[in-house]
Amino acid sequence: MDDDVGCSQRTSGLSNVGLSPSISWHVGFRYLEELCLNRVTVDGELVEQLLANCPKLERLVLEEARTLTRFRVSGRSLKLKYLRILWCDDLEYVEIYDTDLVSFTFVGMRMPVCLDKLPQLSEVSIRGSSLEQLHVMLPPRLSSLPCVQILKLEFFRLLSENLQIRQLPKLTSVKQLILRVPVFKEASLLPLTLVIEACPCVRSFVLELMYPDDMLCRQRKLKRVDGPPHRYLKEVEFHNYYGRPCDLELVIYFVDNAIALEKLVVSPCEEEMVTVGERRMLKKLKEPRERAWQQLKGKLPSKIDLVIN
């Protein structure tokens, strides 16, 4: 194959094929800026050759890359800005260092990635199994990266009633924290405060409760958590607010501890999955909006602007 094949191509994608470092398809993509490898049989040597021989490559997606176990991304000569590694379950170790990477996304059940000396890295997104495993899902040395301002965390497993989160490193550079967690019945949200407290300089916090399922709204005595003061947190968004005691407890936590809080945005839950006999069905809801107004309107300090969408 001619080494200059595709030299004017800027975007490319390959799916369901096998690639080997012995072939030269990758050598001539001098103008390639974006590449997605989906369900491709590939090894680390080829990935590293590809990066070295695509001098303008800025975006790389590796999705379900079979047989990919190890590779390294390094060197200031690389133009790579955005790297996404999705469901590459055979990965054992990935080293990313001394580049100008801006955004990194990882989706998988365990984190085999080491990030180091990435002065431009500003956004890290991780989707993993459960909050209980967050301490091993966060990349080693993440706390030492000075420019990571946006941290997005999403988890597949439902929050459990007795959720335990281990001690997390302090991520002092994070300014925006986004959490997406699936919810069921009435599991407490207060363990999430340990994640928030790991980001002491956070200014914006977004929580989305995903896939509401057989939610319960039984009245009980509310719990309070006396956490450290959040001196910089100014805005909180709460999506799929159901109005359960555990939802209200988290709002109270912010009112009590976010001393600089200026705005609370609440988007009530509008539908949930319910079990009717042996059937599963999607149910439209009005009650969460009514509860949000009843629980929050006129109940917050006057300095906090309440928005119920």
Side-chain angles (χ1 to χ4, degrees):
M1 185 180 294
D2 189 341
D3 284 354
D4 285 334
V5 64
C7 63
S8 63
Q9 192 166 347
R10 297 182 183 274
T11 302
S12 185
L14 291 173
S15 180
N16 294 301
V17 297
L19 301 176
S20 166
S22 63
I23 63 176
S24 60
W25 66 272
H26 58 284
V27 175
F29 286 108
R30 293 196 300 267
Y31 300 100
L32 187 65
E33 297 176 357
E34 184 173 344
L35 177 63
C36 177
L37 300 179
N38 182 15
R39 296 185 179 180
V40 169
T41 301
V42 66
D43 64 16
E45 181 182 353
L46 187 139
V47 172
E48 293 174 14
Q49 287 183 10
L50 185 150
L51 290 170
N53 289 284
C54 296
K56 293 186 178 295
L57 187 65
E58 292 189 356
R59 296 175 181 268
L60 175 62
V61 179
L62 300 170
E63 184 170 2
E64 296 186 53
R66 298 184 291 269
T67 73
L68 182 61
T69 58
R70 291 173 171 263
F71 70 94
R72 180 177 62 186
V73 179
S74 66
R76 290 298 176 85
S77 61
L78 298 181
K79 298 298 182 183
L80 191 66
K81 303 294 184 184
Y82 304 88
L83 175 61
R84 294 168 56 86
I85 301 175
L86 315 176
W87 294 116
C88 296
D89 294 338
D90 291 332
L91 273 179
E92 298 173 359
Y93 187 68
V94 179
E95 193 174 14
I96 305 171
Y97 68 96
D98 197 28
T99 77
D100 289 328
L101 195 70
V102 171
S103 175
F104 173 69
T105 298
F106 180 86
V107 180
M109 302 304 285
R110 57 187 180 85
M111 171 62 71
V113 179
C114 180
L115 305 175
D116 195 16
K117 297 180 181 178
L118 301 171
Q120 304 300 321
L121 185 63
S122 61
E123 180 175 326
V124 173
S125 179
I126 299 170
R127 293 176 61 197
S129 59
S130 67
L131 267 169
E132 288 94 336
Q133 297 299 313
L134 181 57
H135 62 288
V136 295
M137 288 300 299
L138 291 176
R141 302 187 62 81
L142 180 62
S143 60
S144 68
L145 300 177
C147 293
V148 177
Q149 296 195 11
I150 301 174
L151 178 60
K152 300 178 181 180
L153 302 173
E154 180 178 334
F155 300 93
F156 310 121
R157 294 180 184 171
L158 294 167
L159 290 178
S160 63
E161 186 61 38
N162 299 311
L163 176 65
Q164 298 290 327
I165 299 178
R166 295 191 189 181
Q167 186 70 32
L168 300 173
K170 294 298 183 183
L171 306 172
T172 56
S173 65
V174 172
K175 302 298 188 295
Q176 182 179 35
L177 176 62
I178 301 172
L179 286 182
R180 303 182 74 228
V181 293
V183 289
F184 178 68
K185 293 189 176 180
E186 52 186 349
S188 176
L189 301 180
L190 290 179
L192 300 180
T193 61
L194 297 177
V195 185
I196 302 164
E197 290 167 7
C199 304
C201 298
V202 69
R203 297 178 182 177
S204 171
F205 173 69
V206 179
L207 173 65
E208 180 180 353
L209 303 183
M210 302 188 301
Y211 321 125
D213 193 339
D214 282 336
M215 305 285 266
L216 294 178
C217 197
R218 296 183 292 203
Q219 296 304 309
R220 60 169 172 79
K221 184 178 180 180
L222 297 177
K223 302 175 184 177
R224 300 183 93 100
V225 173
D226 293 325
H230 295 287
R231 302 184 183 279
Y232 305 99
L233 182 57
K234 293 187 175 183
E235 183 168 341
V236 171
E237 296 182 25
F238 195 141
H239 297 277
N240 276 334
Y241 184 91
Y242 197 86
R244 303 169 299 167
C246 57
D247 299 334
L248 183 55
E249 285 171 344
L250 189 61
V251 170
I252 293 173
Y253 167 83
F254 288 117
V255 172
D256 289 347
N257 297 285
I259 59 179
L261 188 62
E262 297 176 354
K263 188 174 184 179
L264 172 64
V265 179
V266 173
S267 299
C269 183
E270 296 182 341
E271 58 185 21
E272 68 169 315
M273 289 299 299
V274 297
T275 303
V276 181
E278 297 182 356
R279 295 176 53 204
R280 299 280 290 159
M281 58 185 295
L282 194 63
K283 178 183 177 182
K284 297 291 184 179
L285 301 171
K286 295 181 180 179
E287 296 86 350
R289 179 172 301 277
E290 296 170 356
R291 283 193 289 265
W293 281 102
Q294 181 182 12
Q295 293 170 350
L296 304 176
K297 189 65 175 177
K299 307 291 179 63
L300 304 182
S302 58
K303 67 174 184 176
I304 300 176
D305 180 21
L306 173 65
V307 178
I308 300 179
N309 290 327

